[in-house]
Amino acid sequence: MSKAKHLYIHIPFCNRICNYCDFVRSVACKKTKVEYVANIINQLNDLKNLKLKTLYIGGGTPNSLDYNTLKKLLKNCSLFLTKNTEFSIECNPKFVNKKQVALFKKYGINRISLGVQTLNENILREMNREQNNNDVIKAIKIFRKIGINNISCDFIYGFNNTTLNDIKNILIFINKYKIKHLSFYALEVKENSILAKNNYQLDNDKMDGELRLILKGLEKYQHYEISSWSIDNKHQSKHNLCYWKMHDWIGIGNGAYGLENRNYYYWENNNKINKILDDKEYYFQIISMGLRLKKGINLKKKNNLLAYEYFKNKLKYVHVKNNHLIANNRNKLNDILIELL
């Protein structure tokens, strides 16, 4: 039986495909979705009496599932919860409604990751994104009315048609709606995305300017991880922290990754592809993930100390403070990691 205390479930279905996305995702019929969730539930049954610290349903677009299919999934997920479990689900604002959110509340979901991406509706249409700003505002109000107040908003900066005014509008929105957790991701043109097929070119100087404005605008937040900000410790993403701190987690669903006892695995078409990490691979992951955190890597933890000692002679642009290995500048993380390869 697994000893992991964290679980990720991947729901790879969307109603349409965003141009920037390269996650495992597809547009599927209801029958396919029902069969997929039934398979997820079978895998959950194998976990038996496991009690989780965090449970995260991502995608894809999990909240695009129909009500009854979503209900079956959440009902089975609820068996693994304690009163302290952080239970998150990713949502597209377009599909949020009162009946759905009441279902979330009933089965223990207490954290929402809301995919806003940008408030420039022209860019949303350009990226084939299925929502508008009214959908976002309405969704936030529904969550709060039904009592789910831990809402994280995801944004992407670096679209070619983004202006600094667009970034300012996002910052105004964050302040107006008192968003407690934020993720800002730099746009990437990934190999399997529609952007890559269309030869979309990024403007790195423009992106740097947008990031500077974001950093200045979020000074009252804790910039606790490279792409993540929280208003306080309580609202940090406990599930994502398990990745960055290299805790074991279980992955379920087509496209999901997991890490259990150094077995780093991936699900592809119901096949579990296993990769046992050797010392160099495992220690590299500890360094590359942990240095994303503002607090860095806790060297009081045995495996973290072993990772530090393994790469100590190659590590540059880092320092040790209060038994933590910390990057001098997290925006230069790639430069640090290149030295280790």
Side-chain angles (χ1 to χ4, degrees), residues 9-23:
I9 298 173
H10 193 71
I11 304 297
F13 305 119
C14 299
N15 285 22
R16 61 168 76 170
I17 305 301
C18 300
N19 292 358
Y20 51 79
C21 181
D22 80 330
F23 293 120

Side-chain angles (χ1 to χ4, degrees), residues 228-239:
S228 306
W229 287 257
S230 65
I231 198 68
D232 53 30
N233 291 342
K234 176 185 173 183
H235 288 89
Q236 292 180 2
S237 171
K238 294 176 184 176
H239 184 82

Side-chain angles (χ1 to χ4, degrees), residues 21-35:
C21 181
D22 80 330
F23 293 120
V24 173
R25 75 282 189 228
S26 66
V27 177
C29 66
K30 181 177 178 179
K31 181 174 181 288
T32 298
K33 294 177 182 180
V34 169
E35 290 173 350

Side-chain angles (χ1 to χ4, degrees), residues 5 14 63 77 148 153 164 175 180 252 305 312 330:
K5 296 295 184 182
C14 299
N63 75 319
C77 287
I148 303 178
C153 287
L164 291 181
N175 186 59
K180 302 294 178 61
I252 294 178
L305 181 59
K312 189 173 183 178
R330 287 180 289 164

Side-chain angles (χ1 to χ4, degrees), residues 41-271:
I41 290 170
N42 285 337
Q43 292 184 66
L44 289 174
N45 290 339
D46 292 337
L47 298 178
K48 305 275 183 197
N49 299 317
L50 191 65
K51 293 300 179 184
L52 297 169
K53 291 183 178 179
T54 71
L55 198 166
Y56 193 106
I57 303 177
T61 311
N63 75 319
S64 68
L65 293 174
D66 70 272
Y67 180 85
N68 288 330
T69 305
L70 191 57
K71 181 178 180 179
K72 288 177 184 176
L73 175 63
L74 299 184
K75 184 177 182 180
N76 280 272
C77 287
S78 69
L79 302 176
F80 300 92
L81 307 180
T82 72
K83 65 178 182 178
N84 297 317
T85 304
E86 178 192 84
F87 186 4
S88 306
I89 188 168
E90 291 181 355
C91 290
N92 182 318
K94 183 76 175 178
F95 309 122
V96 174
N97 59 63
K98 291 178 182 177
K99 187 177 179 183
Q100 182 184 83
V101 178
L103 192 69
F104 292 173
K105 183 74 172 176
K106 178 179 179 179
Y107 289 111
I109 288 175
N110 51 26
R111 184 176 184 275
I112 302 295
S113 179
L114 193 63
V116 183
Q117 319 311 1
T118 178
L119 298 176
N120 184 321
E121 293 186 348
N122 291 327
I123 294 175
L124 289 171
R125 286 190 289 271
E126 181 188 344
M127 293 296 140
N128 203 34
R129 183 76 183 167
E130 195 172 10
Q131 72 194 55
N132 59 43
N133 293 341
N134 286 334
D135 294 327
V136 175
I137 295 165
K138 181 181 175 184
I140 290 170
K141 289 180 177 178
I142 290 172
F143 290 131
R144 288 178 172 162
K145 185 172 184 179
I146 293 177
I148 303 178
N149 296 304
N150 192 355
I151 303 167
S152 175
C153 287
D154 288 353
F155 295 96
I156 299 173
Y157 67 94
F159 295 110
N160 286 344
N161 293 329
T162 302
T163 66
L164 291 181
N165 271 338
D166 290 323
I167 302 299
K168 289 175 183 176
N169 287 337
I170 289 173
L171 295 170
I172 291 168
F173 167 87
I174 289 166
N175 186 59
K176 180 176 180 180
Y177 291 98
K178 296 180 172 57
I179 308 301
K180 302 294 178 61
H181 187 278
L182 305 154
S183 296
F184 274 90
Y185 300 107
L187 179 65
E188 296 180 72
V189 179
K190 297 188 176 179
E191 184 178 354
N192 294 319
S193 69
I194 295 170
L195 289 185
K197 293 171 184 174
N198 293 337
N199 197 30
Y200 193 93
Q201 300 296 314
L202 299 176
D203 184 337
N204 290 320
D205 290 339
K206 179 174 172 294
M207 293 174 78
D208 288 345
E210 291 177 13
L211 178 59
R212 285 193 295 271
L213 184 55
I214 291 164
L215 291 169
K216 184 178 179 182
L218 297 180
E219 286 178 342
K220 70 177 183 180
Y221 284 78
Q222 298 175 1
H223 188 191
Y224 72 102
E225 186 269 339
I226 284 180
S227 300
S228 306
W229 287 257
S230 65
I231 198 68
D232 53 30
N233 291 342
K234 176 185 173 183
H235 288 89
Q236 292 180 2
S237 171
K238 294 176 184 176
H239 184 82
N240 286 341
L241 281 166
C242 96
Y243 300 149
W244 299 320
K245 293 183 178 182
M246 286 293 285
H247 296 167
D248 281 6
W249 78 91
I250 302 161
I252 294 178
N254 187 28
Y257 288 85
L259 176 69
E260 298 182 65
N261 195 26
R262 290 208 191 190
N263 178 24
Y264 188 56
Y265 57 86
Y266 174 72
W267 287 97
E268 184 174 1
N269 298 323
N270 293 323
N271 294 315

